[in-house]
Amino acid sequence: MKFFSDNTATACPEILAALSDVNRGRAKAYGDDEWTRRLDAVLGEHFGKEVRAFCVVTGTAANSLSIATLTPPYGAIFAHEEAHIVRDECGAPEFFSNGARIVLIPGADAKLTADSLTAAIENNPATVHTVQPTTVSLTQATEFGTAYRPDEIASVTEVARRHKLKVHMDGARFANALAFLGCAPADVTWRAGVDVLSFGATKNGALAAEAVVFFDLALVRDFELRRKRAGHLISKSRFVAAQLLSYVETGVWKRNAARANGYAQKIGAAAAEALIYPVEANEVFLRLGANGKQRLRAAGFEFYDWGSERSGEARVVVSWDQPEDEVLALCRELSRM
Amino acid sequence: MKFFSDNTATACPEILAALSDVNRGRAKAYGDDEWTRRLDAVLGEHFGKEVRAFCVVTGTAANSLSIATLTPPYGAIFAHEEAHIVRDECGAPEFFSNGARIVLIPGADAKLTADSLTAAIENNPATVHTVQPTTVSLTQATEFGTAYRPDEIASVTEVARRHKLKVHMDGARFANALAFLGCAPADVTWRAGVDVLSFGATKNGALAAEAVVFFDLALVRDFELRRKRAGHLISKSRFVAAQLLSYVETGVWKRNAARANGYAQKIGAAAAEALIYPVEANEVFLRLGANGKQRLRAAGFEFYDWGSERSGEARVVVSWDQPEDEVLALCRELSRM
Amino acid sequence: MKFFSDNTATACPEILAALSDVNRGRAKAYGDDEWTRRLDAVLGEHFGKEVRAFCVVTGTAANSLSIATLTPPYGAIFAHEEAHIVRDECGAPEFFSNGARIVLIPGADAKLTADSLTAAIENNPATVHTVQPTTVSLTQATEFGTAYRPDEIASVTEVARRHKLKVHMDGARFANALAFLGCAPADVTWRAGVDVLSFGATKNGALAAEAVVFFDLALVRDFELRRKRAGHLISKSRFVAAQLLSYVETGVWKRNAARANGYAQKIGAAAAEALIYPVEANEVFLRLGANGKQRLRAAGFEFYDWGSERSGEARVVVSWDQPEDEVLALCRELSRM
Amino acid sequence: MKFFSDNTATACPEILAALSDVNRGRAKAYGDDEWTRRLDAVLGEHFGKEVRAFCVVTGTAANSLSIATLTPPYGAIFAHEEAHIVRDECGAPEFFSNGARIVLIPGADAKLTADSLTAAIENNPATVHTVQPTTVSLTQATEFGTAYRPDEIASVTEVARRHKLKVHMDGARFANALAFLGCAPADVTWRAGVDVLSFGATKNGALAAEAVVFFDLALVRDFELRRKRAGHLISKSRFVAAQLLSYVETGVWKRNAARANGYAQKIGAAAAEALIYPVEANEVFLRLGANGKQRLRAAGFEFYDWGSERSGEARVVVSWDQPEDEVLALCRELSRM
């Protein structure tokens, strides 16, 4: 019973079917096909605004390519110290940006705030001797499974705007955040001041598909060249586009996220006193102690330690396709602890 | 009737079926799954030698990541002046290697020879003021649709070895070369002195799958870190591994390539006097004149100009799934010209 | 009366004279001259060990080139959060290393300790998803004007060695540290586990001259190529070598440093209660309050704020050529506050 | 008797004296001193136009930093195949630009022409799959010791302008070209369409000083940050600025260049039938045969082979300080051959 991560999941039937659907006839490569060409319109409608959307196949590529487009080599990228781009991408932002620096910001619930961003900017004054503040990266949902409210985002991006920083959002679990918040996609993106979004689908039911969605259209040519140069322009683009179209048009993005979130809530409720962070998306962080973790594992539940092995803390992630009986079994086990 | 490129093709049924087959249960991400773990053994058997094989999803990534592993930033990569890494990857080798230089070598049939490589090395002496010769990249089949014979490769790699250069092979159309040559995969790779191979499957029936195959095992940790850092470590790795396993294990690599090659031979035979290069893989290069090209296009055949629009030359690529009637129609049209 | 920094200083007469001395006859360029060739021997004797020494003209180049030689692009460099490479080099280490990351370590007196380094390494476990710990950079004297004792360095480098990290030392004010400690150059470098030293002379009397001194000789070819490639191989190398030879051979390194240190001690004594850090080299950090700073400035003393303008703190740096009357005047003014 | 290169030369007395002149008092570092601040005005007057001028200490840095400011990582830089940036800088343009590509153009006298540039641009069409033409780099005087006439430059830059390329000029031997042409500095730079000039002084009498002169002022902030980040912002900037001020204001740039050029003419006249290229600056290229070269060397003349050792060709470079008797002796020896 694997609760390691939502990228252990299968692909959902709607998306697998979409691959078969587009698998007919010769189609021009590199995005000049009918499906890829529809992406802008479909995601534009999803977000209620004209956008330019590009396919890639990993979140790391989506994040780093868009950050590189926003950031010169001597730029500083402000991000939470626990952000995925900091902890889990082997320095990809540095690679794609040709050596920009990520400035780490601490803060509760893995969130930036107007105050913490302001303090970080002030602590990194721009002279010819220093890296130049240019970029902010927010994660929605955060690495701690929490979701920024629209006004939380807006207050951060207002600081960014005042200091002429561009704003990137890592939305690897964007659907889970949205399912929790119940707001429109626009409310936590462009309306709240986001310039570019990594719009994730892989963790929530796709095989390998993420869109980079530009709300600020001026930057896209640079992005396109960087994407090609980085080997992330897929030749048979229709197979990635099909995943994203299906993900948005069938509404599976919402169904899958709601299902996973709902089970996470159940698990959180079963272990309310052990919760480290509020459960808002599909991740549950639990203070179980070494014995608790061992007992769970002995009962067949697999999950990652949170922090080190000795920490006594666990991260439980619910996939969109997590069998209900696994969730119920876990709840039973937790409620007994 | 699209003859633009073999990446206009669909995915073949065997490979699409493999995606469904592996779509069951939660599996650890990033390659720690039963399918990805089998790749080394399956490709090792294919090549008759212990190998380490890694999944990526584009040929550009396969080429550039492996070249970067072989080449320091101040290195020189020797390649034919018409190689894909030179003409069609937007500077990806330079990006991944952090600024190495590709030294261009001319030569018939888009091939390097022992002589042309020797001349290029001698024209680029290694002092502290120059980029340092470190790497050779061969393309099999070449950009002109020709195939290196085993002894042709060996004579180039012998020069490389004498000058302590590592050898990369771009095998985006490796299967087509092999189907033409009728030799063992080993004969044109490690036995002939190749250190790393970009083993392509996408053009020949996969959705998006290439393996980087290391015959020199010492280099793999560096490769793994570079791949992750470049956003090319796929989280749901089983879906890429499944394509490659199916490609090799079902023998579809050979069937698809043989089919496309066979049709290319037919087309070449129908236009024997217009041939620019010998037809050895699935590409046919034709000297048709502006009128000839116009006439073909008017008849519904789509293809790219070879060289500029004014060149009077055309490139016709046969996909694995090219309908036979399209091929026959093209042959008829060509034989009338 | 400028106490901004020791790089406001003039060049000392011994070194200026050396420039004239070597200004005779045609000499081969790029270091193949009699003066540059003597550097290894002269610095080898200074350090009591065979070394390879290379000229550059800025501390940033010395630091970043040597760090790049120790660090792959996916490497992590551990450094104090106030280190010059972090705060004052516009991301040079990231540029030269092609995107490595500096991991920031807090700590008293701008020093790393065995414990703080161990904690940082443990907080950055090496998996394929993370930057790989490879390098430590120490600053001697530190950015807070303190000097590591030999055993302090050894205890840090022992941790480094255990984790297979290489050790760089930024010695922009190496002479000042040594003049304070009264030990041999070897005691705080190779004998204490340092692999490469940025041996500064510019701040202490040269025009523009720093040596990169390798105690680990295996790495030098890579360094030489990186130096050339970065535009830091000076063609008329004798003029940089002459500065370094004079600096070491005349003993001016010690005289200049001792003079500046002595005055810093005087200033520190005159404002003992305002001291933020112990005075060990040629820098004095003072808690003066906004009024105090204003009063000093009104009296003609120029210096930088420490922290922000509002901090109430000041940094006073004594140059090797600081006129004694300026120092005495400052002492008088401070003792009245 | 060394005729290896003009960077074997000494520093000229005027420039050495200037170092002593500025060696008084504490001055703010990093260019915020009275001498560095005068550079814009002095070079602006020299060029008859408002400019921004920056000090660096090597030609490689001057070239690569300015090229990097003009060129995105996916850019293509058009240059003659024998240009210094191609043959002698260990890939510095690739390093500073984070992986741009130099596209090599052949041509007589090491010159680009409107036709050869046009052909190169047409052979490198800009699609998302290719490096993007962005930059041209001209060398004045060229690597073959020839000088572009104003109209030759203008015809190249007109092609550049039409294709929206920026134009860099490598002026490591700019003074020698100017002394030969007898025109105003403006005539071969901004008036002829050059955007940025590497204005060399080192080879012609300085110790280590080059100015990067921007005629297009929009680009300078990017340059300043790149310069710092590359370790090329000299702390005691006055010592570099002083060299450049003296070089321009005393007229020594012209005297030194005229002297060296004059001797080169003498040598060329003495070996008129052996000349490979016309003698226009301070370099003489001679077809002497293996025996001829051996005989010259036996007579005490030192110089580099041109091409390989076996080529039978020699490069003779006259330094600004070449003793007249060495030149006359060489002429005698050559006239006897």
Side-chain angles (χ1 to χ4, degrees), chain C residues 1-215:
Chain C
M1 293 179 288
K2 289 187 171 60
F3 291 88
F4 286 121
S5 180
D6 32 11
N7 54 28
T8 62
T10 56
C12 68
E14 295 85 345
I15 287 177
L16 208 53
L19 294 185
S20 299
D21 287 350
V22 301
N23 196 36
R24 47 189 155 87
R26 263 82 22 236
K28 281 187 106 173
Y30 300 116
D32 190 10
D33 63 76
E34 58 177 290
W35 300 279
T36 308
R37 278 197 301 265
R38 281 183 51 223
L39 263 187
D40 287 354
V42 169
L43 281 166
E45 194 179 323
H46 186 65
F47 284 100
K49 185 181 195 304
E50 188 188 356
V51 304
R52 288 295 312 279
F54 299 95
C55 306
V56 295
V57 296
T58 65
T60 297
N63 289 337
S64 290
L65 280 168
S66 41
I67 287 172
T69 288
L70 305 178
T71 314
Y74 42 75
I77 305 148
F78 295 94
H80 192 276
E81 63 188 2
E82 295 295 337
H84 200 267
I85 62 167
V86 174
R87 306 290 299 181
D88 290 293
E89 299 187 351
C90 195
E94 287 92 337
F95 174 53
F96 282 83
S97 67
N98 302 118
R101 182 182 295 172
I102 312 178
V103 174
L104 308 186
I105 299 180
D109 296 343
K111 290 182 183 175
L112 303 189
T113 64
D115 284 352
S116 68
L117 177 59
T118 302
I121 294 171
E122 286 178 357
N123 193 31
N124 286 272
T127 75
V128 80
H129 304 289
T130 59
V131 290
Q132 309 289 299
T134 53
T135 315
V136 178
S137 181
L138 299 168
T139 312
Q140 176 78 316
T142 73
E143 290 301 291
F144 293 179
T146 59
Y148 281 97
R149 274 54 172 178
D151 64 328
E152 289 179 319
I153 296 170
S155 70
V156 171
T157 65
E158 193 190 353
V159 173
R161 211 62 66 201
R162 205 180 316 135
H163 291 86
K164 300 193 197 313
L165 313 184
K166 294 279 184 187
V167 181
H168 165 257
M169 177 172 278
D170 173 357
R173 295 190 180 94
F174 187 73
N176 298 285
L178 223 57
F180 170 76
L181 295 168
C183 65
D187 295 339
V188 287
T189 54
W190 62 270
R191 237 181 245 141
V194 172
D195 295 303
V196 188
L197 170 69
S198 298
F199 177 77
T202 308
K203 284 176 156 57
N204 192 36
L207 288 81
E210 317 274 309
V212 175
V213 182
F214 278 85
F215 304 110

Side-chain angles (χ1 to χ4, degrees), chain A residues 143-145 274-277 283-287 306 314-316:
Chain A
E143 290 300 290
F144 292 179
L275 286 179
I276 306 174
Y277 314 113
E283 298 185 286
V284 186
F285 297 84
L286 297 168
R287 203 172 282 112
W306 185 235
R315 187 187 80 161
V316 167

